Amino acid sequence: MQHLDPDHHDGTSDATPGGERDKRRPGELLFAMALTGASLFLLFDAWGIENAFGPNGLSSPRAIPLAATAAMLISALLVTVKTLRLPLDRTETVMKDILPVTVILFAALLIAYGVLLRPLGFLPTSALFLIVAIKVLARRGWFWTIGISLGSLVVIWLIFRIVFSVLMPSGVVPEAEFIQFFRNLTAGGGA
Amino acid sequence: MGSLMDFLTVFTQPQLLALVGVGTFAGVYVGAIPGLSVTMAVSILISFTFSWDVYPAISLMIGIYMGGVYGGSRTAILLNIPGAPSAIATALDGYPMAKRGEAGTAIGVTTVMSFIGGFIGIGVLALAAPMVSDFALRFQPRDYMLLAILGILLVGSLSQGSLVKGIFAGALGIAIGAVGRDPLTFTERFTFDLQLMEGGISFIAVMIGMFGVSEALLQLHHVDKAAVRQKISRVVPSIATVKKHLPLSVQTSTIGVVIGALPGTGGDIAALMAYDHAKRVTKDPERPFGEGAMEGLVAPETANNAAVGGAFIPMMTLGIPGDAVTAIMIGALFIHGLNPGPMLMIDKPDMFWFIVGCLVMANFFMLLFGLTGIRLFTKIVEMPRSVLIPLIMLLSIVGAYAVNNSVSDVYWMLGFGVFGYFMRHYGYPLGPVILGVILSRLLDDNWRRAIITEREDLGLFFKGVFASPLSTVLLVAVILIFVSQTPIWARAKAKLLNRKERVQ
């Protein structure tokens, strides 16, 4: 079977194989070494799993974790060696192709979302997140940004709350009372 | 008779029917919009349909699955961007057709062929699954173990990329699945004495992180890529066209079902293999392959939709997923208290026939939505990524939070999202991770059962393996996958090929 990659290693498609075939991407070696280190650590940890009910034999709870982490270590080592042999792709840089500022910013935004979710509640946190994110990405006027953000948030909230009955932390917004108000309203109107 | 009634359940309940319809409709768009994948959609949906009954939840997911596998072809044809991995091969001939102004014909043929392929897949599922499950009752624990390993390895080796990276990903998945208290002895594994880790890592958080957030982060690189407009003419293909390609479509559907039914391999691989097959058997295409050959559309599209039915066979009968999406569906069934495997077919045959019914319905809806609504479609696909990406991230967070109402799941999800982002960049396949997580428990349980019955003696274990033809075949298959990736195999192949060329 031929290797099919109609120019999509640039990430325009969902089917994204990483990088050029015979070149090492910036940071790839570091990643492989980090995986090797992590595998080694996990292997040690797996070795420490003790069977409370008998010998640490082939059927003990440590068997599969040990086998899995050993497989991880061996494959990570092989990958590291293979990566080491490839020439570095000089056309790419970490800042441009692997970890641009936007990605770091969004990772930070997502973490901020997790931190704020409980104290602030779903609606305000999501509104803030969407406004900042869309503003950064689309670089359009505030009016457009806020309109699109709040509009899509309302749609999402309605779908979740009504169709899927997902309960998100309400935080500072009295969500339940709000819904009850409308329920009463419609019930009153219907009766 | 009972199975017929179960099969008809979905047709008699308007609510379920509507859910399949909505699912298929959504699936077509999810599959078509680059940056949204079916795997992503189904993994996010699990957490949302968590509070529903099994039937409606499954109806929705099946609709999305069926529609999504088809939907990827749309953008492949119109924009040369496969909306889903299973549509990579479709772009090769679909886009040249569109450039020639035949986008309508291409979409029409794709739709009808997907429909035919889908039906062949479902037919095989309905016929084969009961037989396979009867057979599966005789499986030994070691066979399950070998099947699980085979599944994880197949995903790693057949997807594009290196097997070593695939093995790493699969092993990582197994390790992630082992986190928490061991179900047999209650021993803590990989918990680092943290209470947080005792319950294990929620596999939904892993899934949404890997397929949702990492994808969204990757798409950040391409915010500014503008969509290209194509003119679309007549969509419904003529009967003559369909008739002409019927023999090929039956062949490629067969490839699709078989590949789909292999544990671990799904529509993307089936489509590529079918494309390869079409290239070999089509003697005189009207246009050469790669420049808009109709056969180049027929083959991958029948195959990837046939693979859907195929993928359900191992999932329903063995509890071993046929591809990443069915892996997630297994998770969904677990959440709803069902245990996929041979006993499911015996205890709850209604579930099986209900799923078959849903698939049939989804296939019809796919045909309907495929041949209509092209205008609306072009509008939706042009939705700017600057809005789409933040929305996907929001959905991912809500999805991860909703299952256990826990913020720590959100952090797990984000962690795996960032990790998956790097894995994608450096060419590590993500499919094996998910398969590993899902199959970890099955692998662990069956290995221990197998080795305990052999009194912890590896010699006896292998004696048992070689005493049973099935186990032997499975073991040989596992070994072959390894050998096929080593230099020895490449050398042997080169030698064989050389000899062939000399004969010619």
Side-chain angles (χ1 to χ4, degrees):
Chain A
M1 207 162 54
Q2 78 206 90
H3 180 76
L4 294 169
D5 180 15
D7 299 322
H8 290 298
H9 54 257
D10 61 349
T12 44
S13 123
D14 291 346
T16 315
E20 301 272 348
R21 246 201 157 186
D22 305 314
K23 288 209 180 118
R24 162 157 60 96
R25 304 195 79 179
E28 186 166 358
L29 187 62
L30 194 69
F31 187 67
M33 289 193 317
L35 291 183
T36 313
S39 309
L40 192 64
F41 172 70
L42 287 177
L43 182 65
F44 273 118
D45 195 66
W47 185 252
I49 297 171
E50 287 293 333
N51 187 1
F53 299 95
N56 290 307
L58 286 168
S59 69
S60 68
R62 85 158 56 148
I64 290 288
L66 211 52
T69 46
M72 277 168 69
L73 182 63
I74 295 169
S75 48
L77 269 176
L78 281 175
V79 172
T80 311
V81 172
K82 268 191 186 167
T83 317
L84 204 59
R85 286 198 196 136
L86 294 177
L88 185 67
D89 192 340
R90 300 257 170 225
T91 56
E92 295 187 322
T93 61
V94 173
M95 280 308 279
K96 190 169 97 311
D97 299 285
I98 307 294
L99 204 60
V101 183
T102 343
V103 175
I104 301 176
L105 176 74
F106 267 80
L109 275 180
L110 287 170
I111 294 172
Y113 188 105
V115 173
L116 289 178
L117 183 59
R118 272 212 191 268
L120 211 55
F122 172 69
L123 284 174
T125 320
S126 305
L128 277 178
F129 173 77
L130 284 180
I131 291 171
V132 174
I134 294 178
K135 178 73 187 168
V136 169
L137 289 183
R139 295 186 210 99
R140 301 267 293 258
W142 281 109
F143 192 69
W144 185 86
T145 309
I146 294 178
I148 292 278
S149 308
L150 295 186
S152 37
L153 180 59
V154 167
V155 173
I156 288 184
W157 183 75
L158 282 177
I159 295 178
F160 284 159
R161 199 58 211 261
I162 313 299
V163 182
F164 292 109
S165 30
V166 169
L167 284 178
M168 294 299 286
S170 57
V172 292
V173 181
E175 220 174 87
E177 287 82 352
F178 187 67
I179 293 179
Q180 197 53 45
F181 173 74
F182 273 97
R183 284 222 177 106
N184 290 342
L185 210 66
T186 45
Chain B
M1 199 58 217
S3 31
L4 185 68
M5 288 312 294
D6 297 325
F7 172 72
L8 292 175
T9 314
V10 64
F11 303 94
T12 52
Q13 295 191 24
Q15 186 217 358
L16 296 179
L17 202 62
L19 278 173
V20 177
V22 169
T24 315
F25 186 77
V28 172
Y29 290 93
V30 164
I33 297 174
L36 287 181
S37 67
V38 190
T39 345
M40 177 201 279
V42 178
S43 43
I44 295 179
L45 260 185
I46 285 194
S47 49
F48 293 147
T49 53
F50 176 59
S51 57
W52 292 11
D53 277 344
V54 194
Y55 278 8
I58 291 286
S59 314
L60 192 65
M61 278 188 245
I62 285 183
I64 297 226
Y65 187 15
M66 204 66 170
V69 168
Y70 159 76
S73 68
R74 283 277 186 90
T75 31
I77 293 169
L78 293 175
L79 310 171
N80 197 20
I81 297 171
S86 54
I88 298 180
T90 315
L92 295 178
D93 281 290
Y95 186 61
M97 276 185 83
K99 273 204 293 198
R100 236 180 266 256
E102 297 172 5
T105 322
I107 290 183
V109 169
T110 313
T111 311
V112 174
M113 286 304 158
S114 297
F115 179 73
I116 295 175
F119 254 115
I120 295 181
I122 299 166
V124 173
L125 168 69
L127 290 177
M131 282 189 273
V132 175
S133 85
D134 281 347
F135 180 56
L137 283 175
R138 273 179 279 158
F139 276 30
Q140 302 280 330
R142 59 166 180 266
D143 299 326
Y144 277 107
M145 187 200 89
L146 287 168
L147 261 177
I149 296 177
L150 189 66
I152 296 169
L153 280 180
L154 272 175
V155 187
S157 64
L158 288 179
S159 55
Q160 301 189 348
S162 78
L163 176 69
V164 196
K165 287 179 177 171
I167 291 177
F168 177 84
L172 175 70
I174 296 171
I176 294 173
V179 173
R181 285 200 181 267
D182 159 42
L184 295 186
T185 60
F186 217 55
T187 312
E188 286 185 34
R189 303 198 282 193
F190 300 124
T191 55
F192 307 103
D193 291 326
L194 297 172
Q195 211 196 340
L196 176 74
M197 310 272 285
E198 270 180 30
I201 300 173
S202 151
F203 74 92
I204 292 179
V206 182
M207 264 177 335
I208 298 181
M210 292 241 160
F211 291 109
V213 169
S214 81
E215 179 73 53
L217 286 175
L218 203 65
Q219 294 289 332
L220 283 173
H221 290 254
H222 314 285
V223 176
D224 304 323
K225 289 232 164 72
V228 194
R229 269 173 199 267
Q230 301 279 349
K231 265 203 184 139
I232 298 171
S233 46
R234 189 186 133 87
V235 170
V236 183
S238 67
I239 295 181
T241 323
V242 176
K243 240 188 197 160
K244 187 179 157 214
H245 296 293
L246 207 56
L248 177 67
S249 68
V250 173
Q251 289 169 31
T252 48
S253 298
T254 317
I255 295 180
V257 182
V258 174
I259 300 293
L262 283 178
T265 53
D268 39 351
I269 295 149
L272 288 173
M273 290 182 97
Y275 186 79
D276 225 43
H277 173 79
K279 240 168 140 179
R280 261 182 288 123
V281 298
T282 313
K283 289 281 177 290
D284 41 348
E286 279 169 37
R287 287 197 204 112
F289 278 88
E291 289 172 33
M294 194 81 89
E295 289 82 2
L297 277 181
V298 173
E301 281 306 312
T302 42
N304 64 26
N305 280 80
V308 173
F312 273 93
I313 299 177
M315 172 196 152
M316 297 298 293
T317 57
L318 305 168
I320 289 180
D323 62 359
V325 182
T326 37
I328 296 169
M329 290 232 191
I330 287 192
L333 291 180
F334 276 142
I335 283 190
H336 288 287
L338 294 167
N339 203 351
M343 289 317 285
L344 181 72
M345 299 280 288
I346 294 165
D347 294 341
K348 294 201 172 241
D350 54 313
M351 197 63 220
F352 172 73
W353 289 107
F354 172 72
I355 286 180
V356 175
C358 283
L359 283 168
V360 170
M361 215 46 241
N363 211 21
F364 275 112
F365 276 120
M366 185 192 76
L367 185 68
L368 177 70
F369 296 134
L371 295 178
T372 55
I374 300 281
R375 286 235 171 76
L376 176 72
F377 177 81
T378 40
K379 283 252 158 54
I380 294 187
V381 170
E382 282 171 12
M383 182 165 173
R385 287 182 198 215
S386 52
V387 178
L388 197 60
I389 298 171
L391 287 181
I392 297 171
M393 289 178 172
L394 186 62
L395 289 185
S396 302
I397 292 186
V398 178
Y401 179 86
V403 181
N404 294 325
N405 280 341
S406 101
V407 177
S408 60
D409 272 4
V410 174
Y411 288 123
W412 276 121
M413 190 270 300
L414 293 178
F416 279 106
V418 172
F419 186 61
Y421 170 80
F422 283 108
M423 284 180 74
R424 278 176 199 261
H425 261 314
Y426 296 132
Y428 294 79
L430 296 180
V433 181
I434 295 306
L435 238 64
V437 174
I438 293 279
L439 291 176
S440 179
R441 174 82 195 273
L442 185 134
L443 185 69
D444 201 354
D445 287 359
N446 283 297
W447 159 252
R448 281 151 88 175
R449 253 177 236 152
I451 200 75
I452 287 172
T453 45
E454 305 292 0
R455 280 170 279 147
E456 305 229 348
D457 186 335
L458 267 185
L460 280 178
F461 175 76
F462 279 107
K463 219 168 148 190
V465 168
F466 290 115
S468 133
L470 178 73
S471 313
T472 314
V473 169
L474 289 173
L475 185 69
V476 169
V478 170
I479 294 171
L480 264 183
I481 291 180
F482 273 109
V483 176
S484 70
Q485 298 291 321
T486 54
I488 309 167
W489 177 268
R491 238 172 280 153
K493 208 164 113 187
K495 244 184 199 167
L496 279 174
L497 286 179
N498 265 339
R499 202 171 297 157
K500 260 189 212 157
E501 270 163 31
R502 247 175 273 152
V503 171
Q504 281 172 348

